[in-house]
Amino acid sequence: MKSVRIIVLLLFFYSLLSYANNQVSVVSIDSLSYAQFNAGDWDGLIETAELAKKNNIDFKWLQQRVGYAYFVKKQYYKSMRHYEKALDYDAADEISRLYLYYNGLNTGRTAFARFQASQLSEITLTEVSEKQYRLIDAVDLEYSYKMPDHPATHQGHYKRLGLNSQLGFKLNIYQSFSTFNQNTDTTQTRQNEYFVLLGWNPVAKTNISIGYHYVGSKVVYGADTFNYPGNIFYGKITRQLNRFDLALSGASFKNDWLDSKQLGVHLGVNFAGSNNINLTSSYYRIIETELDYSYGRNVFKQTAGIMLFNKLWTEAYVNLGNLNQFIDNNGLYFYNSLDPTTFRTGISGFWYVCKPLTIYLNYNYDTKKIFTDNLFYNQHSITGGLIWKI
């Protein structure tokens, strides 16, 4: 190691001398960056890459070396950018594809990572334990207990089972079965739901999702039972621009007496490092048509997430606006109560216990409004669940 450092110093002084004499060349940059790479001098390697850029010098190995330097420093988006530049020189280079795969995993971009995996050899896929097809990729369970402070409204219970399947490196399907029940002094409400979402990555940084959500609502009032079946169709397209995510979503809910349309615009920004900070802003426009009457309203959602202790993903959020007939979380959740939420905030924690198991806990606070009485009340919700990666 001592001899390597001596070589790095000699090459560094040689590089400075060459630069002083306007003789910075591909050979000098290649020699210096290679020695710095072998010595683990990541900061020096990044400086050498900047020197090369100022002198219009660039080549595949330089991009790979500086990409690895940023990867070691946990600056994954910068690493990603350099490995993508390396692919411009050689689109079939497996080292570049492999570290783009790792960068995707480390930034939570599973679809991007699996797209890169589609370009890897069978030997490499075996080494990273990645398979093209997984009929049962992951299973998740969720239970939510809702506690309203309105005396006529009783506690609510929400239960859900989810199943994720990988139909290929670029195709994913998620299914969910859920039930919700909550009573008042005069009514009993139960809602059974089925949700399916198909996600496809035609290219590395573009995801197209199409979903269907069945909503089977049943209300018992005295001796009478009323059924309100409804259908939701959902679509979303997301484009990744390095650390930014731009997305457009649309949804339509319809039953026998109501037609609701929802359009969403989403902007996210991500900061890599040991904390992987994420900020996402979403604006929704909802238009409801009931019989011959239509009206529109706006909903805004702000989310902020951060990784703590390399094992705990923490996410806080706030919703502003009337959430009646609101479709959230890529079509998974649908809010259609008779006393809709007008304000919501909450916090979630996802604890990565071990490689296959994640446990999560959520607290949710809602301000709800009974429009018939123009009465506001509060509701507290505790949700817990687990995700088991097969």
Side-chain angles (χ1 to χ4, degrees):
M1 179 61 71
K2 185 176 180 180
S3 60
V4 172
R5 290 177 179 172
I6 293 174
I7 293 173
V8 169
L9 288 173
L10 290 173
L11 287 170
F12 179 70
F13 287 122
Y14 168 73
S15 177
L16 290 178
L17 181 62
S18 299
Y19 180 62
N21 293 303
N22 296 318
Q23 293 179 354
V24 176
S25 66
V26 172
V27 173
S28 63
I29 293 295
D30 185 27
S31 299
L32 180 57
S33 64
Y34 181 69
Q36 291 168 326
F37 177 83
N38 285 329
D41 182 11
W42 311 124
D43 292 331
L45 179 51
I46 291 170
E47 291 177 3
T48 298
E50 288 297 320
L51 176 64
K53 184 178 179 179
K54 290 178 182 178
N55 288 271
N56 297 317
I57 295 174
D58 193 21
F59 47 91
K60 183 182 78 171
W61 297 282
L62 177 62
Q63 293 297 337
Q64 287 182 328
R65 292 164 191 164
V66 74
Y68 186 78
Y70 279 120
F71 181 82
V72 172
K73 293 168 70 67
K74 296 185 177 182
Q75 297 184 36
Y76 300 117
Y77 290 100
K78 289 183 178 180
S79 174
M80 193 181 299
R81 184 168 66 247
H82 286 283
Y83 278 113
E84 286 171 340
K85 288 181 178 180
L87 284 182
D88 291 338
Y89 290 96
D90 183 2
D93 189 281
E94 189 161 69
I95 294 297
S96 297
R97 294 286 183 184
L98 178 61
Y99 277 95
L100 284 172
Y101 167 80
Y102 286 141
N103 278 310
L105 293 182
N106 280 287
T107 53
R109 300 180 179 275
T110 304
F112 172 84
R114 284 186 58 81
F115 184 94
Q116 301 300 335
S118 69
Q119 310 297 312
L120 300 177
S121 67
E122 291 295 330
I123 295 175
T124 303
L125 289 173
T126 302
E127 290 177 350
V128 299
S129 301
E130 192 68 71
K131 296 180 180 180
Q132 182 174 3
Y133 301 101
R134 292 180 184 268
L135 184 60
I136 303 178
D137 174 63
V139 177
D140 62 285
L141 299 172
E142 181 178 324
Y143 172 75
S144 182
Y145 181 58
K146 303 181 185 301
M147 299 165 285
D149 64 7
H150 185 264
T153 304
H154 303 170
Q155 288 79 13
H157 304 269
Y158 176 78
K159 305 170 186 176
R160 192 178 63 79
L161 168 66
L163 173 65
N164 192 70
S165 302
Q166 301 287 0
L167 304 182
F169 285 118
K170 305 173 187 178
L171 199 62
N172 178 84
I173 187 169
Y174 179 77
Q175 300 178 79
S176 172
F177 306 85
S178 63
T179 183
F180 170 75
N181 63 282
Q182 188 169 24
N183 302 333
T184 69
D185 288 347
T186 58
T187 63
Q188 301 176 23
T189 302
R190 176 178 291 274
Q191 185 163 287
N192 296 322
E193 303 177 38
Y194 169 71
F195 171 69
V196 58
L197 184 71
L198 184 68
W200 174 50
N201 268 54
V203 294
K205 293 188 175 183
T206 299
N207 180 266
I208 299 172
S209 298
I210 299 174
Y212 168 74
H213 194 146
Y214 170 77
V215 181
S217 304
K218 182 174 75 173
V219 178
V220 178
Y221 182 78
D224 298 317
T225 300
F226 304 93
N227 292 296
Y228 303 101
N231 300 283
I232 299 172
F233 295 94
Y234 179 85
K236 185 178 184 181
I237 181 168
T238 304
R239 177 64 180 173
Q240 175 189 343
L241 301 173
N242 198 250
R243 66 178 67 249
F244 292 95
D245 291 313
L246 303 176
L248 183 68
S249 66
S252 172
F253 168 70
K254 190 172 185 180
N255 60 19
D256 291 340
W257 55 276
L258 176 68
D259 189 351
S260 178
K261 300 288 191 299
Q262 176 177 305
L263 179 67
V265 180
H266 317 267
L267 172 63
V269 59
N270 307 275
F271 302 93
S274 58
N275 297 121
N276 264 359
I277 297 173
N278 167 268
L279 300 172
T280 301
S281 302
S282 298
Y283 165 78
Y284 301 90
R285 179 67 177 173
I286 301 174
I287 299 176
E288 292 187 28
T289 302
E290 186 175 344
L291 299 177
D292 296 328
Y293 178 68
S294 294
Y295 60 99
R297 64 180 184 276
N298 303 317
V299 172
F300 177 77
K301 181 177 182 180
Q302 180 63 50
T303 302
I306 185 171
M307 179 68 78
L308 301 174
F309 316 115
N310 291 322
K311 278 187 173 294
L312 181 64
W313 174 255
T314 305
E315 190 171 275
Y317 53 89
V318 61
N319 284 71
L320 304 175
N322 184 339
L323 300 188
N324 194 25
Q325 318 302 335
F326 180 59
I327 300 160
D328 197 14
N329 198 19
N330 295 327
L332 178 61
Y333 298 122
F334 178 56
Y335 304 102
N336 61 329
S337 62
L338 296 176
D339 47 354
T341 292
T342 57
F343 171 80
R344 167 174 292 161
T345 187
I347 187 168
S348 300
F350 293 79
W351 177 32
Y352 303 100
V353 181
C354 55
K355 188 173 184 180
L357 178 63
T358 300
I359 296 176
Y360 62 91
L361 185 67
N362 166 267
Y363 166 75
N364 204 68
Y365 168 83
D366 289 81
T367 299
K368 300 177 75 68
K369 181 178 183 180
I370 303 175
F371 281 94
T372 54
D373 301 331
N374 198 31
L375 175 68
F376 289 89
Y377 73 92
N378 302 319
Q379 178 172 277
H380 304 271
S381 303
I382 300 293
T383 302
L386 61 86
I387 303 170
W388 186 269
K389 181 79 171 177
I390 305 298

